Amino acid sequence: MNEEDLLVTTGEKLRKIFKKHNLKVTPQRVVIYKELIRSKEHPSATVIFDRIKRAFPNISFDTVNRTLLTFAELGLIKAVEGSGEPKRFDPNTAIHHHFICVRCGKIVDFKCDEFDKLQIPNEIKDRFNVLGHKVIVEGICDECSKNIKNKK
Amino acid sequence: MNEEDLLVTTGEKLRKIFKKHNLKVTPQRVVIYKELIRSKEHPSATVIFDRIKRAFPNISFDTVNRTLLTFAELGLIKAVEGSGEPKRFDPNTAIHHHFICVRCGKIVDFKCDEFDKLQIPNEIKDRFNVLGHKVIVEGICDECSKNIKNKK
DNA sequence: ATAAGTGCAAAACATTTGCAATATA
DNA sequence: TATATTGCAAATGTTTTGCACTTAT
């Protein structure tokens, strides 16, 4: 698929999803989405911005940042777990797992023997020096559910 | 266990670990560790700082921040996965899993049917509105391993 | 036309760094 | 006493906010 096709395809995909939410499809949004798909390393807004500003010198960092947040709200993309918040510390160094509330950021520890015993795929084990693993469960916590209901 | 006992116990634990690394046990470090253990929600340096500065008005934010980073380096505590770095975005919204290099932060996606099918424990499923899950594998990536070796 | 989106500049935070003063062992 | 640690102040970097201007529909 050449660049032109990718642009068209990307544009079409965005057009559908954006129409559903009454949002406009702007050149900036198309460029940002295209760049994010091309980048394989889960880049930050800064990284995306640096890459596209060569071809689009007028684009502002704010637009890139706000656009990515918009995409994430629509569910078009996801923020990498934990990233974007101040560094948080866990005194529990034994293996355990985390439930994270996507709304308020609350983290609840839980134990699960099944999860502790997971076999890491060879694809990863053979390529990297694996030190540990954990399961992250995402959802809405009890308090946030309550608040959402109360707001209605 | 009363406050006094906790203080003593905490002090002893720190003393052992710190002695191993030729680090000093200071009142600040004891207080910070004590507060982190008491806090169940994986607090940030700012949160810890706000809590202990009532009782220790002279303590500085830097000390709290640097101390927590020191603890993490010693393996006494852990930084919550992903926290502390700029928000990063993932265009892949389908279920998949992450290898994260603890040294350079590189994230590598991988698929694993076993992991996709994990059954979330009732303890969590019954209490929260679960939206998804993923497995985080931590380790040192190939490039970082190479660099460590080359530095010798 | 009009509502949504953009770019800019300033503000608000978080984090890091260098250094002189202080406290631990 | 010697060295590690602390507190402070300044620098850096990230994210957010308000607003006037521009653009997509």
Side-chain angles (χ1 to χ4, degrees), chain A residues 23-24 26 28-29 58-60 62-63 66-67 86-87:
Chain A
L23 298 178
K24 293 172 182 172
T26 64
Q28 290 92 333
R29 285 174 171 169
N58 286 331
I59 204 167
S60 76
D62 292 289
T63 298
R66 269 183 286 121
T67 298
K87 196 166 251 156

Side-chain angles (χ1 to χ4, degrees), chain B residues 23-24 26 28-29 58-60 62-63 66 86-87:
Chain B
L23 298 178
K24 293 171 182 172
T26 64
Q28 289 92 334
R29 284 174 171 167
N58 287 331
I59 203 166
S60 76
D62 292 291
T63 298
R66 270 182 286 121
K87 197 166 250 156

Side-chain angles (χ1 to χ4, degrees), chain B residues 4 28 32-33 37 41 48 52 54-56 64 83 98 108 110-111 114 124 130-131 136 138 142 151:
Chain B
E4 197 63 18
Q28 289 92 334
I32 292 165
Y33 187 63
I37 289 184
E41 10 70 72
I48 298 268
I52 62 186
R54 292 175 216 150
F56 301 82
V64 175
S83 68
H98 281 166
V108 177
F110 66 95
K111 285 294 301 170
E114 300 288 315
I124 296 297
V130 171
L131 299 173
I136 308 291
E138 286 187 333
D142 36 9
K151 273 192 188 160

Side-chain angles (χ1 to χ4, degrees), chain A residues 96-110:
Chain A
H96 67 285
H97 307 92
H98 280 168
F99 169 86
I100 302 182
C101 177
V102 296
R103 212 147 167 281
C104 71
K106 178 159 68 188
I107 298 177
V108 176
D109 291 356
F110 66 94

Side-chain angles (χ1 to χ4, degrees), chain B residues 13-23 74 76:
Chain B
K13 178 167 182 182
L14 289 184
R15 204 168 304 281
K16 274 189 192 171
I17 296 174
F18 277 46
K19 187 163 281 178
K20 243 196 327 207
H21 295 270
N22 284 323
L23 298 178
L74 299 185
L76 194 58

